[in-house]
Amino acid sequence: STYDTTLIAFNTDVRIDDARNARLEGQLLHNAEAPILTLNAADLKLDADQWALEAPATIVAGEKITVDRLHLRSTPRAGAEGQEILLEGQLDMAGEQDARFSITNLDVTTLSEIAGLRGLGGILNAEATLQGQAAAPRLDGVLNLDLLSFGERAGIIDMQLDYDSLRLNVDASINDVENNSLIVTGYLPLDLRMATPDSTTGGRAISQNLDRAGTGSIDIRSDSLVIGWLLPFIEPSLVNRLDGALKANFTVRGTAEAPQLAGRGQLVNTVVRSPLVGVTYRDITANVLFEDNIITITEASTRTGDGSLDIFGEIVLEDLANAQLDLIIRANEFLAIDTREFRSRASGILDF
């Protein structure tokens, strides 16, 4: 790198390993009003993917942040479409927003491995736009992930979000390989304002506050969703097998301080294997009722070897962050831990 009083020019190589490295070349012009970063080149190698900056990009970070078309594109692999990431527009804490972010045909496998989510793969497409005044921003976004679990197709995740007037509207679905689905629709109170409406000096940041925004309403429906799609999102040392299905039809309404629940949920034919404790939990079933602020577990049970564990009772929500438990747990020769170092079985009744 070379330096003078206001200019830093850089040409930097970053190496993670033989299959993952990057080269960045550009300059940073530093002044009191607004530092300006110019990125002339960005070459990235992520396993089989070769990424490059489409054209020089400029980022100005002053009272407002401006990005002049930061556009990364990968060289198409044989039999696959090219991948793209694009960020452009402006973010003004005291003025008008006009920003866009998009992801096209991104293979998430390598990034998932870097993040520690081994087994998570698939093709991601997403787009989000932010517009409006700092005191009244509007956000629109869509996401589609064709999900792979350890190289096998696991389902499709679709999501559409839009935010306006202190409300985040949600329309999301998960469809497994057997075409069963989980659908989440409704709205959440959320304060994403970057300035108060009467702010005249400099855009004062506002924390995300559910109380200010009001009530919410979420509906969750699942016909018989195979839950194995969750496996790549879980650390393999904790869980390396997950079978079963979720049936649900319930709503959550009200505020964070006074939630109102209604409906029921059921977990059937479930098996969970945990290498951490060396145990496979079989025949897991659960039946749950939701009414007002009370979650009633009418039945929850599992078996390990010749042993069993049963749970029933109530969970009373004082608010969404605090709950009172009134549960009974009955264990009969329940194998809790079975590792080389330690083996534990439990029998008895616990009331709490």
Side-chain angles (χ1 to χ4, degrees), residues 20-213:
R20 300 163 186 171
N21 54 69
R23 183 184 71 86
L24 304 176
E25 187 267 314
Q27 62 185 34
L28 175 63
L29 179 63
H30 190 276
N31 57 58
E33 294 183 357
I36 301 173
L37 173 66
T38 300
L39 197 57
N40 296 320
D43 301 308
L44 297 87
K45 182 175 184 285
L46 296 174
D47 292 335
D49 294 320
Q50 299 281 348
W51 289 81
L53 193 65
E54 186 74 5
T58 301
I59 302 173
V60 181
E63 291 186 0
K64 63 181 179 181
I65 300 173
T66 303
V67 180
D68 182 14
R69 199 168 176 80
L70 180 61
H71 187 191
L72 287 166
R73 188 193 296 267
S74 75
T75 302
R77 287 183 263 163
E81 298 185 65
Q83 306 171 73
E84 298 184 40
I85 298 175
L86 173 65
L87 175 63
E88 61 182 349
Q90 73 173 26
L91 179 66
D92 189 345
M93 300 295 285
E96 187 79 15
Q97 321 307 310
D98 186 10
R100 174 176 174 247
F101 174 67
S102 66
I103 295 173
T104 305
N105 298 324
L106 178 65
D107 186 339
V108 302
T109 304
T110 298
L111 295 178
S112 299
E113 290 179 358
I114 294 174
L117 296 174
R118 292 170 292 169
L120 175 60
I123 301 300
L124 174 66
N125 287 277
E127 184 171 358
T129 58
L130 178 64
Q131 296 180 319
Q133 291 291 324
R138 303 184 306 277
L139 174 68
D140 291 287
V142 294
L143 178 148
N144 173 272
L145 175 61
D146 194 346
L147 181 66
L148 297 179
S149 175
F150 296 92
E152 300 291 332
R153 286 207 65 205
I156 296 175
I157 299 175
D158 284 300
M159 184 179 298
Q160 182 171 343
L161 304 173
D162 68 83
Y163 171 84
D164 194 1
S165 303
L166 303 181
R167 175 181 287 188
L168 178 67
N169 296 298
V170 179
D171 187 351
S173 67
I174 302 167
N175 291 275
D176 63 27
V177 292
E178 298 179 8
N179 207 32
N180 300 308
S181 63
L182 171 71
I183 299 173
V184 180
T185 57
Y187 59 89
L188 295 170
L190 192 62
D191 190 349
L192 295 180
R193 294 177 296 176
M194 293 167 280
T196 55
D198 58 353
S199 176
T200 57
T201 57
R204 180 166 60 86
I206 301 294
S207 62
Q208 300 177 9
N209 190 324
L210 299 181
D211 302 336
R212 185 185 296 113

Side-chain angles (χ1 to χ4, degrees), residues 250-328:
F250 68 94
T251 62
V252 181
R253 291 187 169 86
T255 65
E257 291 71 30
Q260 294 293 309
L261 315 177
R264 64 179 61 235
Q266 185 179 25
L267 196 62
V268 296
N269 300 324
T270 301
V271 178
V272 177
R273 166 69 182 174
S274 175
L276 181 66
V277 296
V279 175
T280 298
Y281 303 95
R282 302 183 182 277
D283 302 326
I284 300 174
T285 61
N287 289 283
V288 180
L289 298 178
F290 303 91
E291 185 175 4
D292 296 329
N293 67 326
I294 300 174
I295 302 172
T296 302
I297 303 173
T298 59
E299 176 193 15
S301 62
T302 184
R303 298 184 61 84
T304 57
D306 296 328
S308 63
L309 182 74
D310 298 280
I311 304 173
F312 56 91
E314 291 184 345
I315 302 172
V316 180
L317 299 179
E318 297 177 347
D319 53 46
L320 286 181
N322 297 284
Q324 292 289 334
L325 304 181
D326 184 11
L327 300 175
I328 296 176

